[in-house]
Amino acid sequence: MIDAGSHGEVLLRVNGLTVRLHSGNGLVHAVEDVSFSLARGQTLGVVGESGSGKSVMARSLMGLLPKRALAGGSGEILFQTAGGAQRDLASLPEKQLRLLRGPALAMVFQDPMTALNPVLRLSVQLTEPLRLHLGLDRQQARSRAIELLASVGIPDAAGRIDQFPHQLSGGMRQRVVIAIALACSPSLLIADEPTTALDVTVQKQILDLLARLQRELHMAMILITHDLGVVASRADHIAVMYAGRVVEYAPANTLFTSMKHPYTEALFNSIPRINDPSHTRLQAIPGRPPQLIDPAPGCAFAPRCQYAQPRCREQTPPVVTVADAPDHQHACFFPVSTIPGGRPHGR
Amino acid sequence: MRLLTRKLPWLIGTLLAVSFFTFMLVSLLPGDPAVMILGAGGVSPEAVAQLRLELGLDRPLVIRYFDWLGSALSGDLGRSPMTGQAVTDAILSRLPVTIQLGTMAIVIALTLAIPLAMVSAYFAGSRLDRGISGLGFALMSVPGFMMAIFLILVFAVGLGWFPATGWVPLSESPAGNLQSAILPAMSLAMIELALYMRLLRTDLIDTLQQDYITLARAKGLPNWLILTRHALRPSSFSLMTVVGLQLGGVISGAIIVEEIFALPGVGRLLYQSILQRDLLMVQGIVLFIATAYVVVNFLVDLCYSLLDPRVRYAE
Amino acid sequence: MRSKVADSSVVRSRAQGFSAAARQVFGRGFGPGFWIAAGWLLLVALCAVFADWLPVRDPIDPVIANRLNGPLTTNILGADGLGRDILARLVHGARVSVVIALTAVSIGMVIGGTLGILAGYFRGHFERGLMAVLDVILAFPWLVLLLALVAFIGQSLAAISVAIGFLWIPAYARVARANTLSVVQREYVLAARAMGASTLRILLREVLPNVILPVLAYGLVAMGLVIIVESALAFLGLSVEAPQPTWGGMISEGKRHLATAVHVALVPSITMFFTVLSLNYVGDRLRSRFDVRESNL
């Protein structure tokens, strides 16, 4: 079981989360046996390619997957509610889960262009959760909404509150999405690729904003991205996902200095470095992400792994803890070893 | 306002073309109006020629068109040589019936279609959804007159709740008016219902897959609120457009329904005028109907641009 | 080295071959409802084709003695107000419905489709002119237009078919144009243009195969609508003239006897209802097969 280590109040503890989904072609093993824990004030970075299961995992934490698509799964999502009780979100009936969405759990979505309802004014979209969960009346909700807009850095909040999403730029829309998510001061914020659809300059602003708000509200945050660079300086722990499993988990520093899983290494090497001589070949990971329908036995990364051995294709590597590093885990039979101070072995 | 000035020339152009087309089509119909009026067979050619002169039918087509158009713009659509009645009066006296019929039909259709579509879309793929969609399919396969006959059979002949023919004006008795209007309105409404339901369901299903619906769920909003406020509103715009476009179908259906139920409406007048070759009347009515249709759709289009924020604030 | 990436995307996004389309239709199973509907349509079509050779009575021969007899008495499906055999009239009426449906939809498809494709491809004045003309035609409620056309061309089988077909031209022109507009912007058309293919070649080999599927799929549903339109005309007494039986005409005659002999109106009504329902159902299922976006759900 992957542990957040000793950081005080553990807010979220996920045990063996497995999610299967119906699709036109069969049963998709979207998330397989994922476990981790998270304390307040901490940030967990989840990194992986498209199709690695990170979005499905995020949505299943909040119960946002369409019921019709679910095809059996298992695991626990133990969450510490404000009242002090610990609840398993995975088995909570929808009605009670709905009460938690907003005040306890919140999500920021990837594409600000589509995340806001185009035909509703910002005032409506912002005051809804305030009136529903906090019981504010119209006036109170409206002024609180204006405060929220200002706190996420939108200039002239009072003037903008009655506008429609189309009248705002992408970066501003994302700020509104964040404002909506934080309206009821949740204890856990899940940010699913919050900056992927934004310009690079705006990315930093949004990430800084998220970090500041996290501090102010003492929230736990799960930061999902496909970009290692984003989590490098902003996450306390990093979980690397591949084909629905967590293949490596470590505190941020440890991950970058002594990564163990070949996939992590490959991800790391694929980032172009500014100091490399010109015309250096980009190192892409050969092959394609695996089909998640009826997965073959063995390690999911084996077909693309340069260190793969026959054993890797027969047995699925279990999660093991690195010796002398109790909060560093990985799932590989033949972990990569690192030359301290330099690039990992093999480059 | 800028929108208005941009689209106005289109409106005027279309209306002019419509009037021209109407005039030409009717004028080119076979059957000499003079002969029709005097009664065919056994009429002297001189009498026919005399009548033609009186009616001004000897002048060139184009001049007759402008003459007609000119009077039409001032509200005078001529006087029917057959019945002697002013066309405009004939239309206006019958208009309330047709308008009431059409409005009732659309209102009934919308009142039923919107909740059914919402239920259907929410439970998409379930047996309930398939049942409702099946019902919609069935309704779409029944033409207006067949529905009318069926309703007459069940409710007029069978149960005797409503009259099979006849119209009671609102001024005379509201209850009687409603009674005489229900069966015709229902006949018209059923096809519209099927169409609206189908369209709205598809649009809603599309909308429900959008990210902003997931976000609404993430906010912890109850499902009924998401359906009505977050999903229905974006989808209602295309519905509005279709209602406008469907007016042509409603009018066509009204012609048949008014004939079946013997209602004194504009549709029935048109049909009988065509049968009697009362061309001036036909011209006037067609011009009126087509103009009304174009204008209404123009207004719907305008409303759409004003109401749908996506269009209004498009950068 | 010509870009391999461009080539592969050209190949990948190319129009589906017709055999692939056929496989899509008959490959995965449709429900039993689909095949029942299709079977009914086949039955109607067979009646239409072989009407004269089928062992039914004379559809226009009035046998006053049998007047208004119910089904399963003197006649299998009963007799109408003039004693004519309803089953026979249904079978012969099917011919009228099928002929008109096929002709009208074909006219609409061919003329409307061609105009639409040309408008969507060449754009410019032609497109604007066409759209303006269509706007004017569509400003008239269909029945009004139809009544005028019928008064103009007459009431023969051919005339009615053409008149209703004319109504369909704007609808098909719009569908064809919309599809052409979207196809024309795709890479393979641009690629063909860049390679110097002639306009006609592009139209035939790139545009047409992609536009034709949605157009054809709409055809079945359109036929159902044509049958409804024709029956409305017949009901008003303006379709193919007596004594040729038409389903709409039969229903119109039956209205008189609603209180006494319901079957005269009911039997043709049910027949027509099932036919149009089958057309709608089969057409809709086929259409959702061909619309890639829908079948991904």
Side-chain angles (χ1 to χ4, degrees), chain C residues 81-244:
Chain C
L82 289 177
R84 295 175 293 195
D85 181 41
I86 289 185
L87 176 61
R89 287 176 72 78
L90 273 185
V91 167
H92 281 82
R95 170 174 287 180
V96 173
S97 298
V98 168
V99 167
I100 295 183
L102 281 176
T103 316
V105 170
S106 306
I107 293 179
M109 251 194 235
V110 170
I111 301 183
T114 311
L115 286 174
I117 292 181
L118 291 176
Y121 190 76
F122 290 112
R123 315 294 307 273
H125 290 305
F126 178 69
E127 187 196 18
R128 262 176 299 187
L130 182 67
M131 289 295 114
V133 169
L134 290 184
D135 274 342
V136 173
I137 295 181
L138 289 171
F140 297 91
W142 60 265
L143 190 57
V144 173
L145 207 53
L146 200 54
L147 292 176
L149 280 176
V150 166
F152 197 27
I153 325 181
Q155 289 178 231
S156 65
L157 193 61
I160 303 281
S161 308
V162 168
I164 301 184
F166 178 77
L167 274 189
W168 241 252
I169 293 180
Y172 270 108
R174 282 215 165 141
V175 169
R177 169 177 166 269
N179 276 288
T180 306
L181 282 179
S182 85
V183 161
V184 151
Q185 287 171 12
R186 292 193 203 150
E187 284 114 24
Y188 51 87
V189 174
L190 294 176
R193 261 199 181 136
M195 287 195 274
S198 76
T199 308
L200 187 62
R201 189 188 170 85
I202 296 180
L203 280 176
L204 285 180
R205 295 201 59 195
E206 312 279 351
V207 176
L208 190 63
N210 280 290
V211 174
I212 211 171
L213 282 183
V215 166
L216 277 180
Y218 182 52
L220 280 179
V221 177
M223 280 201 260
L225 289 173
V226 169
I227 293 185
I228 289 185
V229 164
E230 186 276 324
S231 68
L233 267 188
F235 189 81
L236 292 174
L238 291 172
S239 182
V240 179
E241 274 160 347
Q244 174 73 18

Side-chain angles (χ1 to χ4, degrees), chain B residues 10 13-14 17-19 21-22 25 28-30 134 137-146 149-150 152-153 157 165 198 202 205-206 209 245 247-249 251-253 255-256 259-260 270-271 274-275 277 286 289-290 293-294, chain C residues 132 135-145 147-149 151-153 166 174 225 228 231-233 235-238 248 251-252 254-255 258-259 262 265-266 268-270 272-273 276-278 280-281 284-285 287 293-294 297:
Chain B
W10 172 88
T14 308
V18 162
S19 67
F21 194 60
T22 306
L25 191 63
L28 294 174
L29 283 182
F137 253 137
L139 283 177
M140 262 199 294
S141 312
V142 179
F145 69 88
M146 204 189 282
I149 290 189
F150 173 73
I152 290 179
L153 200 62
V157 175
T165 57
R198 193 132 189 270
T202 308
I205 289 182
D206 222 33
Q209 294 183 344
L245 288 175
L247 268 182
I251 295 174
S252 302
I255 298 178
I256 301 178
E259 180 58 32
I260 296 181
L270 177 62
Y271 173 59
I274 293 184
L275 281 185
R277 291 289 189 274
V286 173
I289 292 180
Y293 184 65
V294 172
Chain C
D135 274 342
V136 173
I137 295 181
L138 289 171
F140 297 91
W142 60 265
L143 190 57
V144 173
L145 207 53
L147 292 176
L149 280 176
F152 197 27
I153 325 181
F166 178 77
R174 282 215 165 141
L225 289 173
I228 289 185
S231 68
L233 267 188
F235 189 81
L236 292 174
L238 291 172
I251 302 178
S252 175
K255 180 176 183 257
L258 271 186
V262 162
L266 207 57
S269 296
I270 295 179
M272 197 176 103
F273 172 68
V276 175
L277 184 66
S278 304
N280 274 337
Y281 187 65
D284 189 69
R285 296 279 251 128
R287 192 158 53 136
R293 188 173 64 108
E294 273 186 346
L297 279 177

Side-chain angles (χ1 to χ4, degrees), chain A residues 101-108 125-126 129-130 133-134 144 147-149 151-152 174-191 206 208-221, chain B residues 215 218-219:
Chain A
R101 291 187 198 129
L105 309 161
M107 193 155 166
V108 172
Q125 303 194 50
L126 275 166
L130 294 171
H133 294 292
L134 303 180
R144 178 86 189 101
E147 279 171 30
L148 278 168
L149 277 188
S151 73
V152 293
Q174 192 66 308
R175 291 173 192 267
V176 174
V177 172
I178 294 175
I180 292 177
L182 301 178
C184 304
S185 309
S187 35
L188 172 66
L189 178 69
I190 304 174
I206 297 294
D208 289 339
L209 175 66
L210 281 174
R212 170 168 69 81
L213 292 168
Q214 182 193 17
R215 273 195 311 272
E216 284 175 15
L217 292 169
H218 195 49
M219 288 185 306
M221 185 157 77
Chain B
L215 188 137
K219 279 201 269 191

